[in-house]
């Protein structure tokens, strides 16, 4: 069941330069060169715009992702995915529509046709002016941004893995998109599907984790910035190729993550962090522990 929620949030228009859509059946965009941008292009210290940078843009929106892409303050764009009643993967975080749209009810009860009637409700405290817009489908985000920048896709509904995997393979994006989950069993399925595996862990989970067990099939370990120093260091020393910290919002949190050996941060405020150089004592080579 879907119900309307009253809101006084303004629906101001925001202008964005149009970019050419690239369907998976057409030629690659010119900026790909020999192929899509892949994780091999990432810098030693990587910034990820979490949900597009949720303190700076409307989370999980096409306009927000496009703005984060154009600003260039993050090298990776993160978004969440849910699955509709008919199996369509869409870009959305919560299980219900209530918090971020003008509607109420469960996302999984809608089909693709009904999804066209959903409109996001931008937060009043976001900087700038933003329009009310339909949350995109995963396919739309991949066609707009896939190969132009590295993406991070969190599977909120693991049942959507097979369909998402097919989309990534059809577009040649298996080395351009991290597929994220909190469940090690799902992460192993992602690896077996031939995709880049990202596993995130909470501070509580990290206390009992033995991350070295995952090093043969996890490409990216995503650790909680609230975790104890010892737990973060254990993750860094696990042998997993990349260890990034979430969800970072202040320069001090970023600097702590880097000092402990992380080589990337997921942040709701990539623009803010980009204004402050990171400060980590000791030689540069010690920052990542690599």
């Amino acid at each position: 069941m879907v119900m309307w929620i009253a809101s006084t949030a303004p629906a101001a228009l925001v202008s964005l330069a149009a970019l050419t859509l690239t369907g998976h059946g057409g030629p690659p965009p010119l900026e790909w060169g020999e192929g899509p941008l892949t994780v091999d292009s990432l810098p030693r210290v990587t910034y990820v715009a979490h949900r597009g940078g949720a303190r700076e843009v409307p989370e999980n929106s096409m306009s927000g992702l496009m703005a984060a892409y154009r600003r260039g303050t993050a090298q990776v764009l993160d978004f969440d995915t849910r699955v509709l009643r008919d199996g369509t993967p869409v870009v959305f975080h919560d299980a219900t529509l209530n918090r971020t749209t003008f509607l109420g009810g469960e996302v999984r009860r809608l089909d693709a046709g009904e999804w066209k009637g959903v409109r996001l409700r931008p937060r009043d405290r976001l900087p700038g002016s933003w329009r009310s817009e339909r949350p995109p489908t995963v396919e739309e985000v991949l066609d707009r941004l896939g190969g132009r920048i590295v993406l991070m896709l969190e599977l909120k509904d693991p049942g959507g893995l097979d369909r998402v995997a097919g989309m990534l393979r059809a577009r040649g994006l298996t080395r351009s998109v991290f597929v994220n989950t909190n469940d090690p069993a799902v992460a192993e399925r992602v690896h077996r599907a031939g995709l880049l595996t990202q596993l995130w862990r909470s501070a509580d989970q990290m206390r009992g984790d033995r991350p070295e067990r995952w090093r043969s099939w996890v490409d990216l370990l995503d650790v909680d910035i609230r975790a104890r120093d010892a737990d973060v260091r254990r993750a860094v020393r696990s042998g997993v190729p990349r260890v990034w910290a979430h969800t970072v919002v202040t320069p001090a949190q970023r600097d702590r993550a880097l000092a402990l050996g992380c080589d990337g941060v997921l942040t709701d405020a990539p623009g803010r962090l980009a204004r402050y150089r990171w400060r980590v004592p000791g030689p540069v080579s010690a920052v990542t522990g690599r």
Side-chain angles (χ1 to χ4, degrees):
M1 180 179 183
V2 176
M3 58 184 179
W4 286 95
I5 296 176
S7 172
T8 58
L13 292 177
V14 60
S15 61
L16 289 172
L19 291 181
T20 303
L21 292 177
T22 58
H24 54 83
L30 294 176
E31 62 265 38
W32 281 18
E34 295 300 317
L37 196 68
T38 72
V39 296
D40 298 325
S41 68
L42 292 176
R44 185 176 57 80
V45 176
T46 301
Y47 282 67
V48 182
H50 180 240
R51 305 185 200 175
R55 294 197 179 198
E56 299 174 349
V57 303
E59 68 173 71
N60 286 317
S61 67
M62 185 66 86
S63 62
L65 291 168
M66 290 300 301
Y69 168 71
R70 294 178 65 208
R71 290 169 182 174
T73 53
Q75 296 83 43
V76 180
L77 300 183
D78 163 77
F79 59 96
D80 301 284
T81 69
R82 293 272 174 188
V83 178
L84 301 183
R85 185 178 73 234
D86 59 7
T88 302
V90 295
V91 178
F92 208 76
H93 180 274
D94 298 358
T96 67
L97 299 163
N98 302 53
R99 180 177 64 89
T100 59
T101 82
F102 294 98
L103 299 174
E106 295 181 291
V107 173
R108 64 184 177 89
R109 295 189 180 277
L110 303 181
D111 62 23
E114 293 166 327
W115 190 251
K116 294 178 181 178
V118 177
R119 293 293 180 271
L120 292 170
R121 182 167 38 135
R123 295 186 303 168
D124 290 337
R125 61 180 178 272
L126 284 174
S129 297
W130 301 93
R131 64 182 174 89
S132 178
E133 61 186 290
R134 174 179 57 79
T137 64
V138 171
E139 190 167 40
E140 288 170 334
V141 170
L142 295 180
D143 283 345
R144 181 69 67 91
L145 288 163
R148 299 172 183 266
I149 188 170
V150 173
L151 299 173
M152 177 183 290
L153 179 161
E154 182 171 351
L155 290 173
K156 292 295 186 183
D157 296 324
L161 173 58
D162 290 344
R163 191 154 175 182
V164 165
M167 292 177 181
L168 297 180
R169 292 191 199 103
R171 291 163 174 78
L173 298 175
T174 58
R175 294 289 302 168
S176 303
V177 180
F178 288 105
V179 179
N180 188 15
T181 177
N182 180 241
D183 186 340
V186 175
E188 194 165 11
R189 284 179 53 206
V190 171
H191 174 74
R192 289 199 303 267
L195 307 177
L196 290 168
T197 302
Q198 175 181 352
L199 179 64
W200 73 266
R201 305 298 282 169
S202 70
D204 287 342
Q205 290 170 328
M206 290 172 63
R207 285 175 176 265
D209 281 347
R210 293 174 55 195
E212 67 277 4
R213 296 180 300 177
W214 306 323
R215 62 189 173 196
S216 64
W217 45 271
V218 170
D219 299 290
L220 167 59
L221 190 55
D222 178 358
V223 299
D224 193 335
I225 190 61
R226 299 170 300 176
R228 302 177 304 180
D229 287 6
D231 296 335
V232 176
R233 289 195 182 99
R234 185 166 60 251
V236 167
R237 295 167 182 162
S238 65
V240 174
R242 291 179 170 89
V243 180
W244 297 351
H246 75 267
T247 301
V248 172
V249 294
T250 68
Q253 288 177 324
R254 176 203 54 197
D255 294 350
R256 173 175 174 261
L258 298 181
L260 290 172
C262 296
D263 44 17
V265 294
L266 284 73
T267 175
D268 286 336
R272 178 188 180 194
L273 291 192
R275 293 196 295 270
Y276 298 89
R277 289 183 58 86
W278 46 268
R279 301 176 182 275
V280 178
V284 171
S285 59
V287 173
T288 62
R290 298 290 188 268

